[in-house]
Amino acid sequence: MNPAMDFDTLRRAMADNYGQPEGPGRNARAEHLLVEAEKLGIPLAVIEALGHQLKVYNYSSEKGKMFVPFARLLRMWDERPEDFDEYEIHSLHWVFKWMSSGMLDQPHVPLASIEKWLGEMEHRYRLAGHSERAVRSAEFSVAAHLGDLARAERAYGAWLAADRDAMADCHACELHGQGWWQSVRGADGEALELWAPVLEGEYSCAHEPHTVLASSLLPLLRLGRVEEARAHHLRGFRLVRAMESMRGAYADHVEFCAVTGNEARALELLAERPAYFTDSGDPRSKLEFMAVVALLMGRLTALGLGERTVPGPAGQVWTAAELAVHARGEALALAGRFDARNGTSYVSERAGARMDRPVLVDRLPLGVRSVRSARAGQQAPTAAHTPPQGAEGATPSAGSGGDAAPGGRATAGLDALLAEARGLAARRSPDAVEAWAAVSRAAEGRELDVHDRAAIADHAAMGQGPQGTDLFLRAAELYAEAGDPGEALAARSRAAYVRALTGGSEESLATGAELREQVLALFAEGGTGVAQTASVLVGRARTLMHRVEEAESAQESAPPGGPGPQDDVLAVAEAAARELLALVAPHGADDVAVASRGAEAHAMLGELAARAGDGEAAAASLTLAVDGFVAAGLPWFAVEYDSRLAGIALHLGDPELAVRSARAALEHGGSHLEPAGQAQLQLRLAEILAATGQVGPAAEHALEAAHWADEAGEAGTLGAWARHQLGGFLLRQERWAEAAEILESALPDLTGEMHGDGAIVQTRWWLGDCLTELGEHRGAAEHWLRAADIARHWPEQRDHAMLAHLAAEALGRAGLTAEADRAYARAGDLWRGLGNVNGLVRSLRARAWSAARTGENLDGARELMVAALRECASAAEAAGSPGAAPGPGADTEEAREAEDVRRGTVAELGHTHRQFGDLVARSVQDDAEEDLARAAFEESLGHLARAIAVFASLGDDVLDVRTGAELAAGRLEADLGRRGAAAARARAVLDACPRLDGDTAEARRTEAERILELMERPEKA
């Protein structure tokens, strides 16, 4: 049998238990500790154990259990108040408020009992001399729950009018309640004003800003402040995710997802908390949760996803439709119990309104990985894309038939489809391919005009891309049969080009040359028009451009030296593009197809200039191409060249043109862009904006990129990269919680094969930065160590060393001393291998402090500090003396770099002496013998004196650290009884203060004056 613990052990056990995660395990441990307290026979031990039990019950899903320990505490107080110390007296009165709210949350507690309890609370507070502020706040909560709005307003006013005292809730909690009431009353703007100090970090507590962030979500949406709402969701959900007692706030986040088109994320949130469906210790938060579940499931059912399997109560597999019925029934049953207790219908009305809440924002991208739920009867986005080069619409010749088939009159529906298809083809719309496919389907069993049959084959070939050769040739035969030889040659040219895409470029070039001769002869005879002639020339030019790409690839793999075949290919391709441009230039204003050929010729010239390394010429030609497509009414064809121009402009140092072109690509693509294209362009714009320092707008476009990648089914590829970038942009804005949520969402999809090990290391590095700022040091250390394990295989080891060092710092902050020491040792070895003395010395100093903190390894700490001094001295000696003449051939820049290295090394020597001195002084225990303490102070003072001398050698650049060391030395001089020496050091600091900056100068002056005042006082006799 284990012996009973003593009182101090009990207190430590309760403190440790309170630091554990909320939940039944913590509650059970509190119940066991009460049993241990009762064994001690000490009334205060039992009182403290009951108070501990109350706290853990209140912050869990078992709130209903807290009434029993409170009743026992209250009886003990009434019987023997002298058993309570000051803290427990305060705690007893504090939890009166918990009892009030706890009774409201339990529908089996009669309303009369609640009202009686309010009176008891008011009486007890008055006897204890407390303000009625907390009492009026409790009364407000009761009235607001009942729907007695007039009484609630009176209590609300009395609450705010009463004085704040020790029983008032913290500022953060009070502001949450006040803002919540304004929101309930429809004053969302006033609510957010009240919440602002909490949201901005002015006020906080263990459960704030958690609940304020959750409560602010719908008010922000209703006010149209969707970006803030998204940020509050990402930041707030991270806070409530692990806290079992916050089911109500958790429900707010699920609701937010349900009304912003993020149903898939809402389901993920439900899956994380299966116990929330069944935990019954807090009926009011269960009502809130089930109402939101009913809202979400109703939403999914309305979208036609009622048969989808969803997370639900344990014990069965649920569909959305089934859970919608179950959750609504549960919510209404719970609401009915509250209303039966209250004698009103208010709770049921509010629950019903919540379950039927309409969508507030149809689409609000969150950035985290999520697949959007498709609407019932709605196809996934299928906007037409820009067809590959060679797949352009064939413009029917003037006078071509098609009004009626020879075998009979076409139906009115077919006539309309034909008219639409011809019009789209004439305008070179990307929708022409599908329009002619619709004609083909509608004309099944009917005989169409041969020219229309040719157009059907032609556009079907365009839809097949590189596999469309045979269909293009069939179209050519039909155009020839229809008496349109120019269009027949154009179709053959398209066939030659797509054949080149599948590896037949030599044959295609020969065919293209032959077709060129034929069409130019036909054009000279008046047998075809400019449009058809241009189609043949553009086909050949495209084939030559493809040949350029092939030659470039071949040259990249060839041994260097001498001009390659690419030079000839470039010249031939340029000649073909210029020939095309010369043909169409005089005619483009009157014909869309002709104008587009001219724009494409400019685009080819731009690409060729870029490959030749002439960025300015490339930008000029691509600008003409974009302008030409837009002027012709074909902006969707400009998208590729807008994007290309953006990259070239950035390379040329013209960020304004780069941003303008990237934005134009999105604008010109419009509704014709498929989701994948949207994602790529949004991400391109984000990267350009970030490169120009516009991180905020870059984050907005990276967010859109992540959304569109998810829509395109590329969440794990392009979407992961977009989230990686978005997380980095948010981090640069110091939006730590949002960045962490996004980066954690990206990490599982990032792979070395797809994204590169560098992306994984960077993501974990950023996550470590975020978690450090959020105080999650153990998590930060884990990410940095895992990143270091990847970087350890890289040829360059600086990142490995830096990550190991960062991990060591995080492990130290997390209290994992032994693990931190091992990580510092690993970092030190790496810094030594890299020749980085500063990093090595800092790792040694950190290990020394870690050893000293344990109080058991002071000798080891000293040895580590001595090793750090030795490394500094050696490096400083190797760096040479200040101002040493540079060697022969050394330029001024090299000399400056060498001097910077020397000064940095010398500064580290000063910092090491300073820290060594501090370590020795702090090692002196309060009860140390006087001789031992004096010896330690003398040793410490010696190190500080050397630090001051080192810093002095570096001049005023390090005046702040020098004066800090001088003051530390002054304090030691005073402790050693050397009043004159201490005063002299204080005067030296005062003399230096005019050369220091603002806050540092003020802090140094204040401390120096205090030392001087103490040292100049007469000594007591």
mmCIF file of all heavy atoms in Angstrom, residues 837 841 866-880 905-906 908-910 912-913:
data_model
loop_
_atom_site.group_PDB
_atom_site.id
_atom_site.type_symbol
_atom_site.label_atom_id
_atom_site.label_comp_id
_atom_site.label_asym_id
_atom_site.label_seq_id
_atom_site.Cartn_x
_atom_site.Cartn_y
_atom_site.Cartn_z
ATOM 1 N N VAL A 837 32.676 30.237 -35.595
ATOM 2 C CA VAL A 837 33.053 30.345 -34.182
ATOM 3 C C VAL A 837 31.920 30.934 -33.365
ATOM 4 O O VAL A 837 31.656 30.495 -32.230
ATOM 5 C CB VAL A 837 34.331 31.197 -34.043
ATOM 6 C CG1 VAL A 837 34.676 31.389 -32.565
ATOM 7 C CG2 VAL A 837 35.485 30.539 -34.771
ATOM 8 N N VAL A 841 30.450 29.144 -30.086
ATOM 9 C CA VAL A 841 30.561 29.771 -28.766
ATOM 10 C C VAL A 841 29.186 29.928 -28.127
ATOM 11 O O VAL A 841 29.007 29.675 -26.925
ATOM 12 C CB VAL A 841 31.269 31.132 -28.901
ATOM 13 C CG1 VAL A 841 31.122 31.956 -27.629
ATOM 14 C CG2 VAL A 841 32.744 30.924 -29.240
ATOM 15 N N VAL A 866 34.728 28.143 -19.982
ATOM 16 C CA VAL A 866 36.167 28.237 -20.294
ATOM 17 C C VAL A 866 36.422 27.811 -21.737
ATOM 18 O O VAL A 866 37.210 28.441 -22.466
ATOM 19 C CB VAL A 866 36.988 27.368 -19.308
ATOM 20 C CG1 VAL A 866 38.430 27.226 -19.776
ATOM 21 C CG2 VAL A 866 36.940 27.972 -17.909
ATOM 22 N N ALA A 867 35.756 26.757 -22.177
ATOM 23 C CA ALA A 867 35.910 26.314 -23.570
ATOM 24 C C ALA A 867 35.435 27.395 -24.532
ATOM 25 O O ALA A 867 36.055 27.631 -25.586
ATOM 26 C CB ALA A 867 35.121 25.022 -23.792
ATOM 27 N N ALA A 868 34.345 28.069 -24.172
ATOM 28 C CA ALA A 868 33.856 29.150 -25.028
ATOM 29 C C ALA A 868 34.865 30.287 -25.102
ATOM 30 O O ALA A 868 35.126 30.837 -26.186
ATOM 31 C CB ALA A 868 32.509 29.659 -24.495
ATOM 32 N N LEU A 869 35.477 30.635 -23.966
ATOM 33 C CA LEU A 869 36.495 31.689 -23.965
ATOM 34 C C LEU A 869 37.685 31.291 -24.821
ATOM 35 O O LEU A 869 38.247 32.113 -25.562
ATOM 36 C CB LEU A 869 36.960 31.962 -22.525
ATOM 37 C CG LEU A 869 36.014 32.765 -21.635
ATOM 38 C CD1 LEU A 869 36.549 32.832 -20.218
ATOM 39 C CD2 LEU A 869 35.822 34.178 -22.203
ATOM 40 N N ARG A 870 38.074 30.035 -24.709
ATOM 41 C CA ARG A 870 39.217 29.554 -25.472
ATOM 42 C C ARG A 870 38.952 29.660 -26.977
ATOM 43 O O ARG A 870 39.816 30.094 -27.755
ATOM 44 C CB ARG A 870 39.508 28.108 -25.071
ATOM 45 C CG ARG A 870 40.814 27.568 -25.635
ATOM 46 C CD ARG A 870 41.233 26.278 -24.938
ATOM 47 N NE ARG A 870 40.176 25.277 -24.949
ATOM 48 C CZ ARG A 870 39.546 24.841 -23.853
ATOM 49 N NH1 ARG A 870 39.865 25.320 -22.655
ATOM 50 N NH2 ARG A 870 38.613 23.916 -23.931
ATOM 51 N N GLU A 871 37.757 29.270 -27.396
ATOM 52 C CA GLU A 871 37.405 29.359 -28.818
ATOM 53 C C GLU A 871 37.385 30.818 -29.284
ATOM 54 O O GLU A 871 37.872 31.130 -30.372
ATOM 55 C CB GLU A 871 36.030 28.727 -29.057
ATOM 56 C CG GLU A 871 35.955 27.236 -28.791
ATOM 57 C CD GLU A 871 36.718 26.418 -29.820
ATOM 58 O OE1 GLU A 871 37.095 26.965 -30.877
ATOM 59 O OE2 GLU A 871 36.945 25.209 -29.569
ATOM 60 N N CYS A 872 36.837 31.697 -28.448
ATOM 61 C CA CYS A 872 36.794 33.128 -28.811
ATOM 62 C C CYS A 872 38.197 33.707 -28.942
ATOM 63 O O CYS A 872 38.504 34.419 -29.909
ATOM 64 C CB CYS A 872 36.029 33.911 -27.741
ATOM 65 S SG CYS A 872 34.251 33.734 -27.800
ATOM 66 N N ALA A 873 39.030 33.425 -27.966
ATOM 67 C CA ALA A 873 40.382 33.990 -27.975
ATOM 68 C C ALA A 873 41.160 33.503 -29.184
ATOM 69 O O ALA A 873 41.869 34.276 -29.847
ATOM 70 C CB ALA A 873 41.095 33.619 -26.683
ATOM 71 N N SER A 874 41.027 32.230 -29.482
ATOM 72 C CA SER A 874 41.751 31.671 -30.626
ATOM 73 C C SER A 874 41.285 32.309 -31.928
ATOM 74 O O SER A 874 42.089 32.670 -32.794
ATOM 75 C CB SER A 874 41.533 30.162 -30.665
ATOM 76 O OG SER A 874 42.133 29.604 -31.814
ATOM 77 N N ALA A 875 39.960 32.456 -32.062
ATOM 78 C CA ALA A 875 39.426 33.044 -33.290
ATOM 79 C C ALA A 875 39.795 34.514 -33.400
ATOM 80 O O ALA A 875 40.106 35.011 -34.490
ATOM 81 C CB ALA A 875 37.909 32.874 -33.320
ATOM 82 N N ALA A 876 39.762 35.217 -32.271
ATOM 83 C CA ALA A 876 40.119 36.643 -32.303
ATOM 84 C C ALA A 876 41.576 36.823 -32.691
ATOM 85 O O ALA A 876 41.932 37.737 -33.455
ATOM 86 C CB ALA A 876 39.849 37.267 -30.936
ATOM 87 N N GLU A 877 42.425 35.964 -32.188
ATOM 88 C CA GLU A 877 43.845 36.047 -32.544
ATOM 89 C C GLU A 877 44.050 35.767 -34.024
ATOM 90 O O GLU A 877 44.824 36.443 -34.707
ATOM 91 C CB GLU A 877 44.638 35.047 -31.693
ATOM 92 C CG GLU A 877 46.135 35.091 -31.955
ATOM 93 C CD GLU A 877 46.911 34.110 -31.092
ATOM 94 O OE1 GLU A 877 46.292 33.505 -30.193
ATOM 95 O OE2 GLU A 877 48.115 33.934 -31.320
ATOM 96 N N ALA A 878 43.330 34.769 -34.529
ATOM 97 C CA ALA A 878 43.454 34.429 -35.950
ATOM 98 C C ALA A 878 42.935 35.542 -36.839
ATOM 99 O O ALA A 878 43.413 35.737 -37.964
ATOM 100 C CB ALA A 878 42.696 33.130 -36.241
ATOM 101 N N ALA A 879 41.931 36.301 -36.353
ATOM 102 C CA ALA A 879 41.335 37.370 -37.165
ATOM 103 C C ALA A 879 42.253 38.570 -37.286
ATOM 104 O O ALA A 879 42.062 39.417 -38.164
ATOM 105 C CB ALA A 879 39.995 37.799 -36.555
ATOM 106 N N GLY A 880 43.261 38.677 -36.410
ATOM 107 C CA GLY A 880 44.216 39.766 -36.527
ATOM 108 C C GLY A 880 43.807 40.980 -35.725
ATOM 109 O O GLY A 880 42.748 41.050 -35.110
ATOM 110 N N THR A 905 33.854 38.526 -33.809
ATOM 111 C CA THR A 905 34.518 37.546 -32.951
ATOM 112 C C THR A 905 34.919 38.179 -31.623
ATOM 113 O O THR A 905 34.752 37.576 -30.549
ATOM 114 C CB THR A 905 35.758 36.987 -33.666
ATOM 115 O OG1 THR A 905 35.369 36.421 -34.916
ATOM 116 C CG2 THR A 905 36.437 35.927 -32.818
ATOM 117 N N VAL A 906 35.446 39.396 -31.681
ATOM 118 C CA VAL A 906 35.824 40.099 -30.453
ATOM 119 C C VAL A 906 34.596 40.358 -29.584
ATOM 120 O O VAL A 906 34.628 40.198 -28.352
ATOM 121 C CB VAL A 906 36.552 41.412 -30.788
ATOM 122 C CG1 VAL A 906 36.766 42.248 -29.519
ATOM 123 C CG2 VAL A 906 37.887 41.134 -31.471
ATOM 124 N N GLU A 908 31.916 38.553 -29.406
ATOM 125 C CA GLU A 908 31.553 37.295 -28.750
ATOM 126 C C GLU A 908 32.438 37.027 -27.535
ATOM 127 O O GLU A 908 31.976 36.479 -26.528
ATOM 128 C CB GLU A 908 31.641 36.123 -29.738
ATOM 129 C CG GLU A 908 30.533 36.077 -30.773
ATOM 130 C CD GLU A 908 29.148 35.938 -30.162
ATOM 131 O OE1 GLU A 908 29.017 35.455 -29.013
ATOM 132 O OE2 GLU A 908 28.176 36.328 -30.821
ATOM 133 N N LEU A 909 33.724 37.410 -27.622
ATOM 134 C CA LEU A 909 34.617 37.269 -26.469
ATOM 135 C C LEU A 909 34.099 38.112 -25.302
ATOM 136 O O LEU A 909 34.048 37.647 -24.153
ATOM 137 C CB LEU A 909 36.032 37.693 -26.851
ATOM 138 C CG LEU A 909 37.079 37.659 -25.731
ATOM 139 C CD1 LEU A 909 37.260 36.233 -25.205
ATOM 140 C CD2 LEU A 909 38.415 38.229 -26.235
ATOM 141 N N GLY A 910 33.685 39.343 -25.600
ATOM 142 C CA GLY A 910 33.124 40.193 -24.552
ATOM 143 C C GLY A 910 31.854 39.613 -23.955
ATOM 144 O O GLY A 910 31.676 39.585 -22.729
ATOM 145 N N THR A 912 30.980 36.542 -23.826
ATOM 146 C CA THR A 912 31.279 35.331 -23.069
ATOM 147 C C THR A 912 31.812 35.674 -21.688
ATOM 148 O O THR A 912 31.419 35.070 -20.679
ATOM 149 C CB THR A 912 32.273 34.449 -23.841
ATOM 150 O OG1 THR A 912 31.732 34.182 -25.138
ATOM 151 C CG2 THR A 912 32.510 33.139 -23.121
ATOM 152 N N HIS A 913 32.720 36.656 -21.611
ATOM 153 C CA HIS A 913 33.186 37.099 -20.291
ATOM 154 C C HIS A 913 32.016 37.634 -19.463
ATOM 155 O O HIS A 913 31.903 37.346 -18.262
ATOM 156 C CB HIS A 913 34.253 38.181 -20.441
ATOM 157 C CG HIS A 913 35.644 37.644 -20.622
ATOM 158 N ND1 HIS A 913 36.256 36.840 -19.688
ATOM 159 C CD2 HIS A 913 36.546 37.803 -21.645
ATOM 160 C CE1 HIS A 913 37.476 36.520 -20.109
ATOM 161 N NE2 HIS A 913 37.675 37.088 -21.296
#
